[in-house]
Each structure stands twice: as C-alpha cells, then as structure tokens.
Amino acid sequence: MVVISPTNKSVEAFEGLHLYHGAISNCSMRVRMTLIEKGLDWTSHHIDLKKKENITDEYFGINPKGLVPTLVDNGVVHVESNDIIDYLDETYPGPSLRAENNAEMMEWLHLAAAIHVPACKPYVYATKIAKKIQKTAQEQEKYDALQKNDELKSFHSKHAGSARFSTSDLEKAKAILGACFTKLEVTLEGRDWIMGDRFTLADISWIPLFFVIDGCGYSFEAFPNIKRWAAAFKNKESYRTGVLKWCPDFSKV
Ligand SMILES: N[C@@H](CCC(=O)N[C@@H](CS)C(=O)NCC(=O)O)C(=O)O
C-alpha cells in the first residue's frame, strides 16, 4: 500500500472511491478492471494525458509524480497501480481476485511494476506516443518546475523539444519485453489464466501491458498462448468496460 499525504487538501474531503485515471493509460486500465471485477462504485476524474491535464499544480498536489492512476478512498490517497489493485482486493468484499499461491501472484504484479519505466514506457513513447504527446515550451517549463522525480525527469527529457529516444533505448526496452513475454508464454502453456484455472490480479495486471504493447505494433506471432489468453478477455465485462470502452483501439491512439 503506497499512501500519499497530498498537498492539495481538497481530496481529503472526498467520500467513497474516487479514481484519477487516463483513458489510454495501461496503469489506469488495471485499476478500472479491478473496481469493476469487485463490483465497486467509484467516481471518475478523467485526466487527459494528451491534453497534459496531469501537468497542473492541482494534480501534482495529489500525485507528486504527476502520474495516473491515483485512487482516493474516503480521503486517503493511494498511488502505484499494482499496489492499488492489491489494496482494493484486500480491503473490499466481492469476488476474491487472489490466487492460492499469493506470493507467486504478487511476483507478477511486482514484475509489471518493475518493467514500467525501463521497458513499457520507452517502448510506447518511442513507437507511438512521443510525437502525439509532445509538450509545448510552456508545458515543458511547467513540467520541469513541478516534477521532482529524477527517473521521470530523465525519461521525459528523452522526447523533449527536438530530442528523440535512441535506438539503444528502444532495443533495451524490446529485450526486457521479450524476456517477460517469453516467461508469460511459458507460464500460460496448458493454462487459461496466469495462475491456472483461477482469474486473478496477475491477469488484471498483465492484460493492459499486452493491450498497449500490441497496439504499438509489437509482434505476438511467436506467443500463441498469450494470444489465446488475451482473446479470452473479450468475454470479460471488466475488460470491455475498463479497457475497451475507454480506449477502443490503442493502435489508433
Ligand atoms: N508505477 C506507476 C506508473 C504510472 C504511470 O507511469 N502512468 C502513466 C500512464 S500509464 C502516466 O501517468 N504518464 C504520464 C507521465 O509520465 O507524465 C503506476 O503503476 O501507477
């Protein structure tokens, strides 16, 4: 559980579950899916990343890295999507999304979190998003003033102004993704879901990664088990409403 003490105190008065989230954000997708799977009511605060709605004093006062998602649960601010989905399942009634082998399931959540900045983010930005989400000089100035996190400063400097991600950044990202998707492919052999017969937070954590990486043109031809697993989500309401409704086709973003 990663709890933040917000400087934007307005959220501390919120009642119930409130989610700050982005339509095209894979991290937000896993939280929306979990809320739907658990049957929870929540208030939506959509943040349009393309319009830089995250780069404001108000939002940095809630999430100090300016990232989505942020969950506010009765005034308490939670960040980090994989921690949020674990928290929601732990805290709220409704169908359990936990595997018998909780430690192994949590390893999948930790792996998804660990590859976000080194692999997922650079792959998505370098292949698709960077040009579409280019900051104006004024937005860049605002971002540089608000952002205190060195890893994110360094990441976003790679597509600021005339800067571009290097071939080596992209190759590094592809190598990490290749290793992780190979692990997922092997795990899914003879299984419906990552942890076996039971649909769990591990599936919810990884399907958004597949969705966006596939939408950026990554080839899954060598991963038939992953393709079969991903196709099964089309029958899940949480996927249709938590992912497809907000982002019908990532390849068109
Ligand atoms: N580790 C964070 C990562 C959150 C993150 O990077 N969110 C992206 C969208 S998926 C975002 O807000 N990007 C805007 C930015 O980097 O400024 C989590 O899992 O919640």
Side-chain angles (χ1 to χ4, degrees):
M1 179 160 92
V2 186
V3 166
I4 295 284
S5 177
T7 54
N8 177 348
K9 296 290 175 197
S10 63
V11 295
E12 290 185 335
F14 284 4
E15 286 178 8
L17 289 163
H18 290 246
L19 183 66
Y20 290 85
H21 62 118
I24 61 169
S25 144
N26 69 92
C27 303
S28 301
M29 290 173 191
R30 61 172 69 94
V31 178
R32 291 195 296 258
M33 281 186 73
T34 304
L35 288 163
I36 296 162
E37 285 286 339
K38 300 292 286 181
L40 297 167
D41 286 333
W42 53 286
T43 304
S44 167
H45 301 258
H46 183 247
I47 300 284
D48 190 332
L49 295 175
K50 281 179 163 177
K51 292 186 183 156
K52 326 291 163 30
E53 286 177 356
N54 57 325
I55 310 178
T56 63
D57 297 302
E58 291 72 24
Y59 192 62
F60 269 77
I62 302 168
N63 183 316
K65 293 183 182 172
L67 299 173
V68 284
T70 305
L71 179 81
V72 185
D73 183 358
N74 283 305
V76 179
V77 177
H78 296 256
V79 295
E80 292 299 331
S81 59
N82 285 286
D83 292 292
I84 293 172
I85 65 174
D86 181 34
Y87 165 79
L88 286 171
D89 189 56
E90 187 74 32
T91 308
Y92 285 96
S96 165
L97 299 167
R98 215 157 280 275
E100 252 174 57
N101 188 339
N102 188 55
E104 193 183 323
M105 185 196 80
M106 289 306 293
E107 273 177 34
W108 283 101
L109 272 61
H110 294 147
L111 184 62
I115 68 167
H116 189 67
V117 178
C120 178
K121 231 168 152 89
Y123 187 79
V124 171
Y125 274 71
T127 56
K128 177 183 278 290
I129 290 285
K131 265 185 257 152
K132 301 187 177 175
I133 216 159
Q134 182 87 28
K135 294 180 186 72
T136 62
Q138 207 181 4
E139 287 165 348
Q140 188 65 48
E141 200 183 316
K142 181 83 184 158
Y143 186 79
D144 291 341
L146 287 170
Q147 186 57 265
K148 304 290 177 243
N149 180 273
D150 288 338
E151 190 182 41
L152 287 166
K153 272 187 173 176
S154 155
F155 173 80
H156 284 295
S157 72
K158 293 186 174 190
H159 66 101
S162 57
R164 295 292 171 262
F165 287 92
S166 68
T167 311
S168 125
D169 290 328
L170 188 55
E171 289 311 313
K172 261 189 239 159
K174 279 192 200 162
I176 298 171
L177 290 173
C180 291
F181 286 128
T182 300
K183 178 180 158 79
L184 184 57
E185 175 68 15
V186 170
T187 303
L188 286 168
E189 181 66 40
R191 290 185 178 189
D192 287 344
W193 303 111
I194 295 178
M195 295 303 296
D197 296 338
R198 197 175 161 80
F199 177 76
T200 71
L201 293 177
D203 302 291
I204 293 177
S205 179
W206 276 78
I207 192 63
L209 284 171
F210 169 85
F211 179 80
V212 298
I213 300 295
D214 182 51
C216 288
Y218 188 94
S219 173
F220 282 91
E221 281 317 301
F223 301 116
N225 291 328
I226 295 182
K227 284 170 75 174
R228 168 181 52 77
W229 165 80
F233 279 87
K234 298 199 174 108
N235 299 321
K236 286 223 158 263
E237 185 54 35
S238 60
Y239 180 74
R240 289 197 296 261
T241 311
V243 177
L244 299 180
K245 191 188 101 187
W246 289 94
C247 185
D249 185 352
F250 193 79
S251 66
K252 297 210 177 95
V253 165

